[in-house]
Amino acid sequence: MNAALLTRSVIDRILPGRLRAQPAPNSPDDRRVAPRRQAALSAEVVTGGRTYPGQIRNISTTGLELAFEKAPPLVKGAQLLVCAGTLAPFTGSVRWMAGPECGMAFNSALAEEIVEDTSALFDPGKRVRPGRARVQLTATVRGPGLDRKVTIENVCSGGAQLTTGLSLALNTGVMIEIDGILPIGGYVRWSHAGRCGVMFNKLLPITAGEEISRRCGVHASWMNELREAHASIVETP
């Protein structure tokens, strides 16, 4: 054993683990443990010389989740510049994509006080994910080669997010069956890490919304939005 290896061996015995490499601030391990804060903050996302409107849905010191009305042409690893509200602009790279949503890892970790300032993380008067009700409902999803119990995590007039434990092909037609509620048809819009988003073929029926609201204790404002969505379609020439 040469002198360098001998010295390292002695130090390791005296100070075990002290010289082992530590995760970089933006490593996957670090991102998993950094606490996330909910947000609903409008943002401008610049990539590839173009600017896309989006919304910050949650944020931590090491990354955030973005949502877009229409998914921009992003690829994993693409560099993003995000400008939002009173926050200083920050840069990072795309870590994952799921339909109109993506995860971003910061190039440099943010200070704790930035993500703790909740007043800066919401547009005035905006709720987290307007129009969506957070629920926990057991349902059965049926489709081509699919017959499985799932959990509905959130629902709006036009779709729902499900925990399936599966990777489902985009545009797969499915039927969502909740006990005591008429089946709701739709198709898979995105699928990632055992979850998927389903877009309904038509608006969630008001009677179904009322039953979901009753079972899950959803705020009355959600039902008002559902009724307004139905009224806007009836009134359209």
Side-chain angles (χ1 to χ4, degrees):
M1 182 180 294
N2 62 35
L5 291 176
L6 179 60
T7 301
R8 178 60 180 264
S9 176
V10 171
I11 292 175
D12 278 347
R13 284 199 298 271
I14 297 173
L15 301 172
R18 295 290 180 87
L19 296 182
R20 293 174 187 168
Q22 298 299 315
N26 287 323
S27 71
D29 287 341
D30 182 63
R31 285 195 297 270
R32 290 190 190 102
V33 299
R36 297 242 165 185
R37 291 191 179 274
Q38 294 290 333
L41 182 62
S42 297
E44 290 189 337
V45 182
V46 182
T47 183
R50 298 189 63 181
T51 301
Y52 301 91
Q55 186 187 63
I56 297 174
R57 292 284 174 77
N58 61 56
I59 188 170
S60 73
T61 57
T62 56
L64 56 74
E65 180 181 325
L66 287 164
F68 303 89
E69 285 295 325
K70 182 179 179 181
L74 299 178
V75 295
K76 191 173 181 180
Q79 286 293 306
L80 307 178
L81 168 67
V82 179
C83 303
T86 60
L87 300 177
F90 38 80
T91 61
S93 59
V94 175
R95 187 184 179 210
W96 57 263
M97 295 165 292
E101 302 180 356
C102 80
M104 172 183 174
F106 297 141
N107 291 336
S108 299
L110 300 183
E112 288 282 353
E113 54 265 28
I114 293 177
V115 299
E116 290 176 356
D117 183 9
T118 55
S119 64
L121 301 182
F122 294 84
D123 290 333
K126 288 276 185 83
R127 291 175 294 137
V128 178
R129 305 208 70 167
R132 288 189 177 261
R134 289 192 177 91
V135 298
Q136 285 290 315
L137 282 171
T138 299
T140 300
V141 170
R142 293 189 169 90
L146 180 65
D147 188 340
R148 186 179 182 87
K149 291 287 186 183
V150 302
T151 299
I152 301 176
E153 295 184 345
N154 64 55
V155 62
C156 68
S157 60
Q161 178 175 308
L162 316 177
T163 297
T164 63
L166 299 173
S167 178
L168 300 179
L170 299 186
N171 298 316
T172 298
V174 296
M175 190 67 71
I176 302 174
E177 300 178 7
I178 307 169
D179 186 40
I181 297 176
L182 288 175
I184 306 164
Y187 64 92
V188 176
R189 189 180 181 194
W190 60 265
S191 181
H192 174 75
R195 289 184 169 89
C196 76
V198 172
M199 179 172 282
F200 300 149
N201 293 330
K202 59 183 180 180
L203 288 180
L204 179 73
I206 291 177
T207 53
E210 289 172 339
E211 181 62 18
I212 290 171
S213 182
R214 184 189 67 79
R215 293 186 193 182
C216 301
V218 179
H219 193 275
S221 61
W222 180 73
M223 275 305 306
N224 292 337
E225 291 180 2
L226 179 58
R227 292 188 181 98
E228 288 172 4
H230 277 271
S232 67
I233 290 194
V234 171
E235 294 170 2
T236 300

